[in-house]
Amino acid sequence: MAANRSLALVVRTVDVFETSTVATLFTREMGKVSGLAKGGRRLKSAFHGGLDLLGVSDIVLIPKASESLDLLTEAAPVERFPCLRRDLAALYAGYYIAELLTDLTDFHDPHPKLFDAARITLRHLGDAGLRPRRVLRFELACLREIGLMPTLDRCSQCGEPTTEGEAVAFGPATGGTLCPACRPGQPHVAVLSRRTIDSVRALASPGNEWREREMAGSELASVRQAVGAVVSHVLGRRPRVQPYLGA
């Protein structure tokens, strides 16, 4: 089969045999792939520096038939993110991004916009003031790309607008906001303030409102809880790295 070339973010590596590595990569052109790098652990390997976790590399992959692992033949480092080496909170946020890309996406399902969003987010995780918002924006970008972005402006069940009132019912398992008529009997429903819903909408939208919008610590925590509940529902469990994200 013909070799495929793409930019790739290294999201997981596992050492196999004595000198080889299996790398899970989120590529821009092919989506998530898993490839065997033969000899990838040798000191003078052709992969030197190209399989570093949370690094972007230029990779060449030869697809294999059936259930066999693809063969990784080249991986040259393109971009590293210095903030991940000097800031533990930034590193945990990077691990979280890798976990979402690994567990929320399917193999060989390209999402170039999500690749670009991950790369931009990793570049700026050293900014502690905006880091929580950037992580939230990335979570929402993931949900949008896989078609599971929660509904925020109308009832997720009947489609009626939910724009009145200061409190809104929100069901992670039902796809977003709920009107009073559809709320009864729905599982795991939370009541969010209108301001929290508007903050989620701002974080999910293009432009700079997500930067400029005032969000007190309690409001950011409410947004974190709501978005985290949706991600946990989609995964069927709480993300492993999420408890380490902090404020």
Side-chain angles (χ1 to χ4, degrees):
M1 291 188 179
N4 296 320
R5 187 176 217 111
S6 179
L7 288 177
L9 175 66
V10 183
V11 294
R12 180 182 292 172
T13 59
V14 178
D15 293 338
V16 294
F17 310 119
E18 292 185 1
T19 61
S20 298
T21 296
V22 172
T24 302
L25 310 163
F26 190 78
T27 74
R28 195 177 194 280
E29 308 299 332
M30 299 173 283
K32 183 175 65 177
V33 298
S34 188
L36 174 65
K38 293 182 178 180
R41 295 164 59 197
R42 293 191 181 116
L43 290 178
K44 295 184 179 181
S45 164
F47 302 99
H48 183 67
L51 296 179
D52 291 347
L53 189 61
L54 297 177
V56 174
S57 296
D58 180 18
I59 64 103
V60 175
L61 192 78
I62 300 177
K64 293 294 184 179
S66 67
E67 300 299 318
S68 301
L69 277 172
D70 295 338
L71 183 62
L72 193 62
T73 61
E74 295 180 34
V78 172
E79 184 174 10
R80 296 296 177 265
F81 307 101
C83 64
L84 304 184
R85 296 196 296 269
R86 59 175 181 259
D87 186 332
L88 184 59
L91 180 61
Y92 278 131
Y95 287 155
Y96 185 56
I97 288 169
E99 181 179 1
L100 294 180
L101 291 174
T102 301
D103 295 346
L104 284 178
T105 63
D106 295 325
F107 282 99
H108 306 290
D109 182 18
H111 292 281
K113 290 182 180 178
L114 193 54
F115 176 88
D116 293 342
R119 193 173 181 182
I120 291 170
T121 302
L122 289 165
R123 284 175 184 163
H124 298 286
L125 287 178
D127 184 343
L130 286 179
R131 183 164 52 231
R133 301 189 190 201
R134 288 190 181 278
V135 172
L136 284 162
R137 274 177 66 79
F138 184 76
E139 287 173 286
L140 292 165
C142 283
L143 293 171
R144 183 187 304 108
E145 279 291 305
I146 65 175
L148 294 173
M149 177 69 187
T151 302
L152 301 173
D153 58 353
R154 58 186 61 250
C155 178
S156 58
Q157 300 299 295
C158 70
E160 287 296 311
T162 54
T163 55
E164 296 181 1
E166 292 302 314
V168 184
F170 183 84
T174 59
T177 53
L178 294 161
C179 70
C182 293
R183 177 182 174 179
Q186 299 291 351
H188 311 297
V189 176
V191 177
L192 304 181
S193 70
R194 174 65 58 188
R195 184 168 178 81
T196 294
I197 293 291
D198 289 343
S199 292
V200 175
R201 186 182 295 111
L203 287 162
S205 300
N208 289 317
E209 185 183 357
W210 68 275
R211 293 171 177 267
E212 300 162 357
R213 183 178 176 83
E214 292 185 10
M215 295 185 202
S218 58
E219 181 183 344
L220 199 58
S222 181
V223 173
R224 163 82 272 155
Q225 185 174 11
V227 175
V230 177
V231 172
S232 295
H233 172 72
V234 173
L235 288 175
R237 58 169 175 79
R238 188 181 187 189
R240 291 178 292 274
V241 184
Q242 197 180 72
Y244 301 98
L245 293 180

